[in-house]
Amino acid sequence: MSKSVSSTRVPLYVLVLGLIGAGLFLTFYRHYTFDVPWLPDAKRQIWSIEAKVEFEALGQPVKLSLAVPDNQPGFERVSEHTASPGYGLAFVDEGVKRRAEWSIREAKGRQTLYYQVDMLFDEDSFNVTEGVPPVIETVTYAGPEQTAVTQLLQRARARSADAFTMTRELIAEFNNETQLAQLLVQQKSRERRLVEMLNLAGIPARVVQTLFLEDGRRRQTLVSYLQVFSGDQYALFDPQTGQQGQMENQLLWEQNSSSLLDLVGGRDSAVTFSIISQEVPASRIYQEKVAHLKNAMDFSIHSLPLEEQAMFKGILLIPVGVLVVVIMRILVGIRTSGTFMPVLIALAFIQTSLITGLVGFFLIVGVGLMIRSYLSRHNLLLVARISAVIISVIVIIAAFSVLAYGLGLAEGLKVTFFPMIILSWTIERMSILWEEEGAKEVFIQGGGSLLVAVLAYLVMINPIVRHLMFNFIGLQFVFMALVLMCGNYTGYRLSELRRFKHLVQER
Amino acid sequence: MNLLQYWRERTVYGRLAGKGILGMNCRNIRYISRYNPRTLYPLVDDKLKTKTLALEHGVNVPDLIGVIDNQHDVRKIAKMTDGIPGFCIKPAKGSGGKGILVIDRVVDGVYYKTNGQPISLQDIQRHISNILAGLFSLGGKTDFALVESLIKVDDAFRQFTHEGVPDLRVIVFRGFPVMSMMRLSCASSKGKANLHQGAVGVGISMDTGGAVRAVQSGRPVTHHPDTKQPLSELVVPQWIGMLELACACYDMTGLGYLGVDLVLDKNRGPLLLELNARPGLSIQVANNAGLLPRLRRIESIKKPEKFPIVERVAYSRTHFAAQSDL
Ligand SMILES: Nc1ncnc2c1ncn2[C@@H]1O[C@H](COP(=O)(O)OP(=O)(O)O)[C@@H](O)[C@H]1O
Ligand SMILES: [Mg+2]
C-alpha cells in the first residue's frame, strides 16, 4: 500500500560518499598543511635555545638589536618568546635579516634580556642547501698584501675545479703558507679575508655565525663559518680546517654578514647561549605552531583554550564508541541492554581504568540488584521504585568510596565516575529481565552490554585512535558515513548465521 | 568453480542467502521501514486500539470485559469479573507474553491460574498495579490493563497444548498471507505460546493448514513434548476462514508487513488475538523455508490492492504450499 518511504537509496549513497570525501579531504588537508602526523608516537626533536644578552646601561635611552635565527634548511622555527621587563620589543624583517629590537626610554645598571626560540629539527629538509647568494664585493689591495693574495689565489685556482674545491684549497693554502697568512690576518679576521679573496675570484661567499647545538649546554658562543655559493647552492666551510659541510646540530644563527648585537646607550655587552633538546610528540609542536598560522584555514580543536581542549578530548571519542556499538549490534548481533548504555559505561571505564571499573560495575549492579529485589516485594509503583534504586546506587557509591578510602585504596574513589542514573536503569531493567525471562537472559544481555563496553573502552583508550580523533576533526564525518553505511546493511548478522545455520546444514 | 559459486554453495552466509532466509537487518530496512508507516504503529502496539479497530471492521476478537486505566479502579476488578468463570488480564502495550495473567476458574473467591496455582485477589490487584506503572510496557511507559474473556481451546487443538491457548501466527505481506506457524504452549514455556520461552513452533503449509515441521528452542521435534501427540496430525480447522481473517487485518490497519496472531475459539471460531508490526523471524525456522522468495513474489504483483481477500487467499494457497517433513 504505502511505499512512501523512499525506495531508492541513491541519495543516501551520495551523502555517504560526500561525507567520506569531505572527511578525508579535511583529514589530509590537516596532515599536509599543518604537518599533523598520522601516528602519535612520531616524536620530533626540538632545540630550545636561549640567548641571554647582558650589558651595562648608561642611564640613557637604550636601543638594542639582536640578530635572531630564521627558518632554514634543517630547522624550522616553531615559537619564540622574550623576557625583557619594561622594554618595548619588535621583530624586524629587513629583507632577509631578522632581528629582535628592544628599546626603553631610560635604563641604568646591569641589564639582562632573554630571547628564546624553539627550533624544530627537520631531517628531510636538512640536505637542501639552497639560498640567495650575496653580492660580490671587490676589494682592492696594495703592496705586500696584493702579492700575498694573488699568490694564494693562483695556487688555489690551479689545484681546484669549482667554487667549493677552490674554497677548500684556499683554506689549505692559508694553513700551509703561514707567513702569507700572518700578513693577511693582521688587519682583518681570517674569515673576512677568505671571503674577500673568494669574491675576488668571482665566488659569492659570506661569513655566517653558527651555533653548535648541544643538549644542556650553557654559555655557548657562536662560531664563524664560511658560506660559499655556487649558483644558488651553498656549502659551509670551517675557515680553520677547510672541512666542508654542515653538522646536523649546527644552526645558522646569523647569516647576513651583519653584527650579532647592536647596542646604543649601553656598554660591556655580551651574548651567551643556553641550549636544551626535547623529544616532543609531533602534535605538541603543531600546537605551538598554530599560533603563527592564525589566518590559515583551521578546523582544529587546538585553537581553543587548553581547558576546552581537554573536554573535547573525551567528547570526540564518543563517535568511536558509538561505532563499536553499531557494529556489534548490526553486524555481529550482540544484544545489549539499552542502546548506548555500553558507551557510557566505557566512558566511565576510561576515567576509572578497566579493572577498577569492572569491579565497581559488578559491585554496584550486584548490590543494586539485591536491593531492587527486596524493593520488589513491597509492591511499589515504578517511578518510586526507580527513584529508590537511584538513591541506593548513590548510597552504594558513597559507601564504596568511603570504604576504599579507609582501606587506603585510592582507586576505589573512582567509582564516582559511573553515571548513576544509567546504572539505576540498568539495574531496574536487569531485574525485570530476571523476573520475566530468567537469569539466563540477564547474563546474555548484561554480558553483551559489558562485552561491548569493554570493546568500546579498548578502542577508545588506544593512543592511535585518541590521537587521530583529537587531531583530525574530518574523521567525524567519516564515522558519520560509516554509521550511515551500517544502518544500510541488509545482510545477515553474525549471530544469525549461527541461529539459522541448521536450516542449511541438514542432510 | 569460481569464488561466487563457492560463496553461494559452501558458506553458511551464501547458503542462507540462496535459501532466501530473511535476516533482521533486511527485515527492518527492506520491509518494516518501507511498508509499515510509523504513524500506524500505535494501532497495533496498543491492544485496546487494535480491538476497537477490529470491532469497527467486523473482525472477531475475544470479548472485552473491561479496562482499568488508573490506580483507583484497581479495586473494581472483583466486581468487574463477578460471575465470570475465567478471564485474562493483559497490559495494553505489552509484548512477548509479558504481564499476561490468565485466570482459568474462580472457586469461592479463590482465583486459579491455568496451571492450577491459586492466587489471591490481592495478588491480582498488585499485578494490575504493576501493569499500570508500566512494568511490562516498552520503555516503562504508563499503561493500562485489559480484562478479556477467556479463550476456550478448540477441540482440534486439545491434544496439542499444555495449559495455554495455542495461537496461529500468519505473516501478511501487502494483504497476502505468505507464511504461517502454530505456537503450542508446553510445560517448559510455562503455558505461554512464545517461542523464545520454549513453546513449540509448528510450520503450517499455506494450502492445507497442515503441519510441515516443528521446532522447539531451535531443535526439530516430531511430537508434542507434554502430550506426546504426533505433530504430523496437526491440521488447522477452518483454514480458509483463518487466512481470510488474517487478510482482513491488513485491510483494517494498512500495515504492509504484518504479523497476525489468531486463535480458534471453541464457540466463536477464528478470533484476532493481536497484531505485530515487527513480527519475528523464527517462523522461517518452524517452516524450514525462507521468507524472501515469497516476499519478492508478492512485491512483483503490480496492484495488490485490486485483489479481493478471497483471491489473495487463493493466490497464497497455490503459490506457497509446502511438503510436510514430519
Ligand atoms: N483471552 C485469553 N484467554 C486465554 N489465553 C490468553 C488470552 N489472551 C492471551 N492469552 C495467552 O497469552 C498469550 C499472549 O497473548 P498476546 O495477546 O499475544 O500478548 P503478547 O503481545 O504479550 O504476546 C497468548 O498466546 C495466549 O496463550
Ligand atoms: Mg503474542
Side-chain angles (χ1 to χ4, degrees), chain B residues 87 100-105 111-120 150 161-165 185-192 226:
Chain B
F87 55 92
I100 303 227
L101 180 64
V102 183
I103 301 298
D104 215 6
R105 61 208 155 94
Y111 298 80
Y112 291 91
K113 297 208 273 187
T114 16
N115 58 7
Q117 204 185 319
I119 177 173
S120 70
L150 193 69
T161 181
H162 174 85
E163 291 170 1
V165 182
S185 53
C186 49
S188 57
S189 77
K190 302 201 190 73
K192 286 182 180 169
D226 307 310

Side-chain angles (χ1 to χ4, degrees), chain B residues 47 88 90 95-97 100 148-151 165 167 193 273-274:
Chain B
K47 291 194 170 82
C88 168
K90 58 171 86 168
S95 65
I100 303 227
E148 254 180 22
S149 62
L150 193 69
I151 297 162
V165 182
D167 65 2
L273 188 60
E274 67 158 340

Side-chain angles (χ1 to χ4, degrees), chain B residues 47 96-97 167 169 183 193-194 261 273-274 276:
Chain B
K47 291 194 170 82
D167 65 2
R169 155 69 55 92
R183 291 181 297 196
N194 293 85
D261 290 354
L273 188 60
E274 67 158 340
N276 204 323

Side-chain angles (χ1 to χ4, degrees), chain A residues 362-427:
Chain A
F362 279 118
L363 281 176
I364 295 169
V365 172
V367 176
L369 276 175
M370 267 147 56
I371 292 177
R372 165 64 179 75
S373 82
Y374 171 76
L375 286 175
S376 79
R377 276 194 260 147
H378 288 282
N379 198 18
L380 295 168
L381 293 177
L382 182 77
V383 191
R385 198 170 50 219
I386 288 275
S387 311
V389 172
I390 292 179
I391 296 172
S392 331
V393 167
I394 292 173
V395 173
I396 298 167
I397 289 179
F400 284 153
S401 303
V402 172
L403 196 72
Y405 188 70
L407 293 174
L409 299 168
E411 280 287 291
L413 289 175
K414 292 179 175 166
V415 291
T416 47
F417 285 115
F418 276 112
M420 296 176 205
I421 308 284
I422 302 289
L423 279 186
S424 305
W425 269 108
T426 307
I427 291 168

Side-chain angles (χ1 to χ4, degrees), chain A residues 1-9 329-331 372 376-383 385 425 428-429 432 435-437 486-493 496-507, chain B residues 12-13 15-17 19-26 28-30 33-35 37 71 97-99 126 129-130 133-136 139-140 174 192 196-197 213 218 220 250 254 281-282 284-285 288-289 292:
Chain A
M1 193 168 121
S2 64
K3 220 174 168 178
S4 56
V5 194
S6 74
S7 48
T8 166
R9 309 213 141 250
R329 285 175 68 103
I330 295 183
L331 302 188
R372 165 64 179 75
S376 79
R377 276 194 260 147
H378 288 282
N379 198 18
L380 295 168
L381 293 177
L382 182 77
V383 191
R385 198 170 50 219
W425 269 108
E428 177 67 17
R429 273 228 190 78
I432 291 179
E435 284 169 14
E436 286 292 318
E437 320 272 346
C486 283
N488 205 22
Y489 171 74
T490 56
Y492 300 116
R493 299 173 179 177
E496 284 173 343
L497 296 185
R498 251 195 65 179
R499 178 182 174 190
F500 294 129
K501 192 165 70 186
H502 61 272
L503 287 181
V504 289
Q505 284 187 340
E506 276 175 342
R507 265 158 278 157
Chain B
V12 175
Y13 196 109
R15 290 168 68 176
L16 285 175
K19 193 164 177 168
I21 300 292
L22 180 66
M24 195 67 93
N25 295 329
C26 186
N28 292 345
I29 296 176
R30 291 259 180 80
S33 75
R34 198 180 286 182
Y35 292 101
Q71 188 60 33
K98 279 183 229 159
R126 182 193 304 159
S129 287
N130 279 339
L135 181 58
F136 308 108
R174 301 174 91 198
K192 286 182 180 169
H196 66 276
Q197 286 171 335
R213 191 179 127 99
Y250 162 73
L281 303 169
S282 314
Q284 303 177 106
V285 181
N288 190 19
L292 278 174

